[in-house]
Amino acid sequence: MKRLLSSCIIGASLALSLAACERTQAPAPATAPAFPLQKIDTVTGTGAEAVAGATVVVNYTGWIYEPNSPQQHGAQFDSSVGRSPFNFKLGAGQVIPGWDEGVQGMKVGGKRTLVVPAALGYGSNGIGPIPPNSNLIFDVELLEVRP
């Protein structure tokens, strides 16, 4: 009986010790709130429409999305303005999913703001100056659509 009681006490002590260890672990990194991709046309284009499979040429500027900042623009992380425009094949997975989905349907001459949730951006990995789980905001101008 003493042996059984000792075993129970030792087992209970180990269980409490393990539970205490789990409480001291660092909290998981915060994830950005989830929301759907937002497409806000600021200028409606009148030229050719961007469709899947076409090569599109755009100028863009990207910021970290900060909901409490003016216009939700946090730190700017990239821009093609002042450099060569950026081109990619729409729908081919050459860019983040938020761009493949967000640029489709634009017409040449159009300008669109994309508010991209982390899941359609760089997700839990982040990249370069973009931290993991960052929501993003882009101003995109469609310059050309090539077949």
Side-chain angles (χ1 to χ4, degrees):
M1 187 67 171
K2 284 183 180 182
R3 185 178 228 172
L4 179 60
L5 186 57
S6 295
S7 295
C8 287
I9 291 172
I10 291 171
S13 297
L14 285 172
L16 289 172
S17 297
L18 288 173
C21 288
E22 288 180 15
R23 275 189 239 125
T24 60
Q25 290 178 348
T31 57
F35 56 83
L37 173 69
Q38 297 173 43
K39 301 182 274 188
I40 304 153
D41 287 320
T42 55
V43 174
T44 303
T46 57
E49 185 175 340
V51 295
T55 297
V56 295
V57 181
V58 300
N59 266 332
Y60 69 92
T61 301
W63 297 268
I64 304 296
Y65 176 75
E66 291 289 341
N68 299 322
S69 296
Q71 298 181 317
Q72 294 81 38
H73 291 96
Q76 181 179 318
F77 58 82
D78 194 14
S79 182
S80 68
V81 177
R83 301 187 322 221
S84 296
F86 178 67
N87 65 75
F88 63 99
K89 187 171 184 177
L90 190 59
Q94 296 176 345
V95 292
I96 60 173
W99 270 43
D100 269 339
E101 188 177 330
V103 172
Q104 191 161 341
M106 287 182 74
K107 292 185 177 181
V108 171
K111 294 182 180 183
R112 183 177 280 178
T113 297
L114 302 175
V115 183
V116 180
L120 296 178
Y122 296 99
S124 60
N125 296 325
I127 188 169
I130 303 170
N133 300 311
S134 292
N135 297 321
L136 308 172
I137 188 165
F138 293 93
D139 286 338
V140 181
E141 178 183 12
L142 183 60
L143 304 173
E144 185 180 353
V145 175
R146 301 177 192 151

